[in-house]
Amino acid sequence: MIRDIHNIDDDIIRKKRIIGKMIYSDPDIIEVLDNPELDPNCPEEYLYTNIYPFIRIPNTQDVAKSFITFMLDDMEPTRINKAMKSQILKVVIFVHKDLITTKWGAERHDLLAYLIRDVFHLSNQLGLQLNLIYDRESATDADYCTRTLQFEMTTPNSIKPFKTNQYERKSIVDRQDRILDSELVGEDI
């Protein structure tokens, strides 16, 4: 690849890594997910097994389990200040009907939703405060119950002065504010 993939300057990728780590670093979430095949002392193993950084719908042939999926979307620049944008963190919790009841007296999808709210609501871990704006229960089919949470935050719109696309053939402005290609603009300034 021509790009340095290990040092991507993308706030969604960076924040999704942080979100995944925030979820699997919470020992209560790991305990409530209740996966006897994984070691709770190695919570990073839950990533891509019970915690997915994308929305995953279970198949009817899937083994009965509980899992948390999430996605992060850019919405639109704020109307007042184009340098800021709105982002939505959507978390969807899926729990198989055979795993709904817990020893804590709360349904597993509701308990996981509580724990996710506790981790993210009013958190500043992603830079700016997350606010819970949506919390709904639903079902995907006869086997899985779900709870969907959405958190909103306003964040910088990744605007960087004088940044040019390094993959274009010619660049008009360099970091010193000089015109680089005089034939594109007529004369040097």
Side-chain angles (χ1 to χ4, degrees):
M1 297 195 88
I2 60 174
R3 291 170 181 81
D4 183 5
I5 298 300
H6 298 291
N7 294 308
I8 294 175
D9 185 17
D10 183 84
D11 66 330
I12 288 182
I13 292 171
R14 182 176 37 81
K15 288 177 182 177
K16 284 178 78 174
R17 288 177 182 154
I18 294 168
I19 293 163
K21 189 171 185 176
M22 289 173 70
I23 293 171
Y24 73 67
S25 295
D26 189 297
D28 292 335
I29 291 174
I30 296 302
E31 184 176 352
V32 175
L33 280 170
D34 191 32
N35 187 338
E37 296 175 9
L38 296 178
D39 180 3
N41 295 317
C42 298
E44 61 279 353
E45 292 177 2
Y46 285 72
L47 199 58
Y48 299 104
T49 304
N50 290 89
I51 301 166
Y52 296 90
F54 52 87
I55 302 299
R56 177 191 181 279
I57 309 290
N59 292 322
T60 54
Q61 291 93 9
D62 277 355
V63 174
K65 66 178 180 176
S66 306
F67 55 95
I68 298 168
T69 66
F70 63 90
M71 60 188 278
L72 184 64
D73 289 325
D74 281 345
M75 298 314 284
E76 61 184 38
T78 62
R79 293 183 180 145
I80 299 168
N81 183 353
K82 299 293 183 199
M84 302 299 283
K85 65 182 174 185
S86 176
Q87 284 186 320
I88 301 290
L89 167 59
K90 182 177 185 177
V91 180
V92 184
I93 299 161
F94 295 87
V95 177
H96 192 274
K97 66 181 180 183
D98 295 342
L99 303 173
I100 290 290
T101 59
T102 66
K103 62 184 177 186
W104 300 283
E107 286 69 31
R108 192 171 311 274
H109 61 302
D110 293 334
L111 187 53
L112 285 167
Y114 161 74
L115 295 170
I116 293 292
R117 279 193 314 271
D118 196 48
V119 169
F120 289 102
H121 182 58
L122 302 178
S123 167
N124 293 306
Q125 291 292 319
L126 299 175
L128 296 171
Q129 194 171 70
L130 287 162
N131 293 296
L132 181 68
I133 59 169
Y134 184 89
D135 183 354
R136 297 284 191 276
E137 183 174 14
S138 187
T140 57
D141 55 23
D143 291 328
Y144 280 89
C145 292
T146 67
R147 183 156 291 278
T148 302
L149 307 169
Q150 290 184 13
F151 301 88
E152 182 178 37
M153 70 177 153
T154 301
T155 186
N157 196 11
S158 302
I159 296 174
K160 297 178 180 160
F162 306 114
K163 184 174 181 178
T164 59
N165 186 329
Q166 61 182 335
Y167 303 104
E168 290 179 354
R169 192 172 60 81
K170 293 184 180 181
S171 182
I172 296 175
V173 180
D174 71 4
R175 297 280 180 191
Q176 287 79 35
D177 268 345
R178 295 177 304 182
I179 302 300
L180 295 178
D181 193 349
S182 58
E183 70 183 49
L184 291 177
V185 293
E187 61 182 63
D188 236 356
I189 295 177

